[in-house]
Amino acid sequence: EMKFYSRHTKNQKISTVFLGGGTPTTLPVSLLNKILFNATVFFDIDPEAEVTLEANPATIKVGYLSKVREAGYNRISIGAQSFLATELKLLERNHEVDEISLTVQRARKSDFKNLSLDLMFGLPSQTEEQWIYSLKKALSLNPDHISAYNLTIEPKTRFHKKRQKGLLTLPDDEHQLGLFKKTIETLTSMGFEHYEISNFAKSGKLCEHNLNYWHNGD
């Protein structure tokens, strides 16, 4: 498939690579490395390119990230989502709270100098206090970037079916807006730039891949 699409990118320098969700880290390191190696074969990737890998804390074992880093991935986005066990269970996440900080530690030890955490707000029954707790726990891990997403129910998903049956009630719009405003206030006060609706970054750590989408790039 890479070989097929590479015909459309001749004479085009690629400045970002993003291997994302689902969960790429369910793959063995050998396959992640093979994917990136072949990308460099078929595309003209800038040697200084931002190369992001999304990661689920439940899939990261000892030694995994150091091998991934050696292969050329230089930015990692960790799907924390929440620092409350009850919310992780609600979201049907298969990682525990303590696995988040463990994954961050392993990423830093593996020389990932550009690290992002994904968080989610607007969850059923989520209070402002609960959301601020997760935000502050995330900040305590000193990430370079935070993506804070408002929970959206997609059609035909399990959450959508639960909502149709009345088993899932989301906070009203005013409450969700309040959480979003609190997110902006909390993160900007800690030196993060709010550079896109859901994304916040420290100086020099804006996600180039996100920016390309945001600016309607190729």
Side-chain angles (χ1 to χ4, degrees):
E1 191 171 356
M2 283 191 216
K3 185 176 182 180
F4 175 81
Y5 281 107
S6 66
R7 291 182 291 178
H8 302 287
T9 59
K10 291 190 185 301
N11 304 317
Q12 186 175 357
K13 181 75 78 173
I14 306 296
S15 59
T16 69
V17 178
F18 196 106
L19 191 58
T23 306
T25 48
T26 56
L27 294 175
V29 172
S30 59
L31 282 182
L32 288 179
N33 294 358
K34 186 177 181 182
I35 289 169
L36 187 56
F37 173 77
N38 280 284
T40 63
V41 169
F42 292 115
F43 300 99
D44 184 12
I45 299 176
D46 191 316
E48 301 299 316
E50 173 191 272
V51 184
T52 301
L53 178 72
E54 289 195 336
N56 182 325
T59 62
I60 304 300
K61 307 304 178 192
V62 175
Y64 188 98
L65 292 181
S66 59
K67 293 174 184 173
V68 165
R69 180 70 186 88
E70 287 170 13
Y73 295 93
N74 55 35
R75 182 178 183 275
I76 189 166
S77 178
I78 299 169
Q81 311 311 347
S82 172
F83 284 83
L84 289 166
T86 52
E87 291 184 347
L88 290 178
K89 184 178 180 181
L90 173 71
L91 291 168
E92 301 176 355
R93 302 295 293 180
N94 58 354
H95 66 268
E96 305 293 334
V97 171
D98 60 355
E99 288 180 289
I100 302 170
S101 57
L102 190 59
T103 301
V104 170
Q105 289 170 23
R106 288 173 176 169
R108 293 303 196 191
K109 285 181 181 177
S110 301
D111 200 35
F112 276 96
K113 295 183 173 64
N114 197 346
L115 184 148
S116 179
L117 290 175
D118 281 6
L119 297 172
M120 199 170 289
F121 69 91
L123 310 184
S125 305
Q126 186 182 51
T127 64
E128 182 178 299
E129 290 72 25
Q130 288 171 324
W131 172 234
I132 294 300
Y133 175 82
S134 280
L135 269 181
K136 289 186 174 178
K137 290 292 285 185
L139 287 167
S140 73
L141 296 176
N142 196 28
D144 306 292
H145 185 284
I146 289 179
S147 294
Y149 298 112
N150 196 158
L151 176 63
T152 304
I153 306 297
E154 300 292 346
K156 299 182 180 179
T157 59
R158 288 176 65 177
F159 274 20
H160 185 252
K161 291 171 185 173
K162 282 185 177 182
R163 192 179 188 187
Q164 284 182 315
K165 293 177 182 177
L167 301 175
L168 201 68
T169 305
L170 296 182
D172 62 35
D173 288 349
E174 278 302 311
H175 184 65
Q176 293 185 54
L177 177 61
L179 295 179
F180 184 48
K181 287 180 176 178
K182 203 69 183 175
T183 305
I184 298 168
E185 177 188 317
T186 302
L187 294 180
T188 54
S189 70
M190 294 300 291
F192 283 75
E193 179 184 346
H194 184 200
Y195 73 97
E196 188 254 80
I197 290 175
S198 304
N199 289 292
F200 302 80
K202 290 181 179 176
S203 178
K205 299 294 185 178
L206 278 66
C207 178
E208 294 298 326
H209 200 80
N210 284 353
L211 282 172
N212 187 47
Y213 277 111
W214 191 240
H215 294 145
N216 255 352
D218 190 351

